[in-house]
Amino acid sequence: MFGKIKQFLGIEGVKMQVIVPDEVSSRTGVVQGEIEFSTMNTQRISYITVKLIESYTQGRRKDKRTQEFVLGETMIDDAFMIYPEEDVVVEFELPYKKVQSNIDAMVDRGGIKGSLAKLAKTARGARSEFRIEAEAKVAGTALSPFARTTVKFI
């Protein structure tokens, strides 16, 4: 009885870890990585959803605002089984389209205008952080396991 409740809630269930390179080129339009699964009980993964999310923050202190944008999303529909003491690694390619504001485009162009745009961006307290989130649907559980990691674009 207690074991079924733990399985339903995902306790001692599937653990995930997203593995991506330390730095990703912003020119390719694709992030390649892998997801590592482990478990203490035999489980069936139905599908995996992987998203690239930009968290854009601007302003300071009380005026601070944060917006989140989904830049790319992919779904891996291949169902598979995971067994105890056996790690499973699933590779993924996540295509994305980066959204740029006018000021970001000026910074990327460089030159004097780029330097001024970078200064203005710093003065406004604007910055972007990127992360990859992966969620797996496990058969027979109410709470899906998920993992996230930060991504640095160069």
Side-chain angles (χ1 to χ4, degrees):
M1 166 99 176
F2 189 63
K4 289 196 182 267
I5 293 171
K6 287 194 320 187
Q7 180 179 350
F8 181 73
L9 295 175
I11 300 170
E12 294 183 2
V14 176
K15 304 292 182 235
M16 301 172 58
Q17 181 179 3
V18 178
I19 303 166
V20 293
D22 292 336
E23 295 179 338
V24 177
S25 173
S26 61
R27 298 182 192 279
T28 61
V30 175
V31 177
Q32 294 179 334
E34 49 191 37
I35 304 169
E36 185 178 66
F37 292 93
S38 62
T39 185
M40 296 176 88
N41 302 311
T42 302
Q43 300 281 344
R44 181 178 186 275
I45 304 290
S46 301
Y47 61 86
I48 308 164
T49 305
V50 184
K51 297 179 185 178
L52 175 64
I53 299 171
E54 176 184 8
S55 180
Y56 180 73
T57 305
Q58 64 183 21
R60 300 179 190 275
R61 296 182 195 90
K62 285 193 243 178
D63 297 330
K64 189 182 239 183
R65 291 188 320 224
T66 301
Q67 294 176 304
E68 291 196 343
F69 305 99
V70 177
L71 303 180
E73 183 173 5
T74 189
M75 186 175 216
I76 303 168
D77 286 330
D78 299 333
F80 58 92
M81 296 293 291
I82 300 178
Y83 301 99
E85 308 298 324
E86 184 179 310
D87 292 348
V88 175
V89 176
V90 176
E91 295 180 352
F92 67 88
E93 283 191 358
L94 177 60
Y96 67 90
K97 182 156 175 61
K98 234 174 156 181
V99 179
Q100 273 195 325
S101 65
N102 292 338
I103 199 163
D104 287 334
M106 286 177 66
V107 169
D108 285 349
R109 279 189 227 122
I112 293 174
K113 286 183 180 180
S115 299
L116 290 173
K118 190 172 186 176
L119 182 64
K121 191 173 170 182
T122 304
R124 284 184 22 199
R127 71 183 197 287
S128 290
E129 294 175 350
F130 300 92
R131 71 180 185 272
I132 292 181
E133 292 184 354
E135 183 176 0
K137 177 60 182 148
V138 179
T141 62
L143 303 174
S144 298
F146 69 93
R148 66 175 61 158
T149 188
T150 58
V151 177
K152 182 179 179 184
F153 285 100
I154 54 169

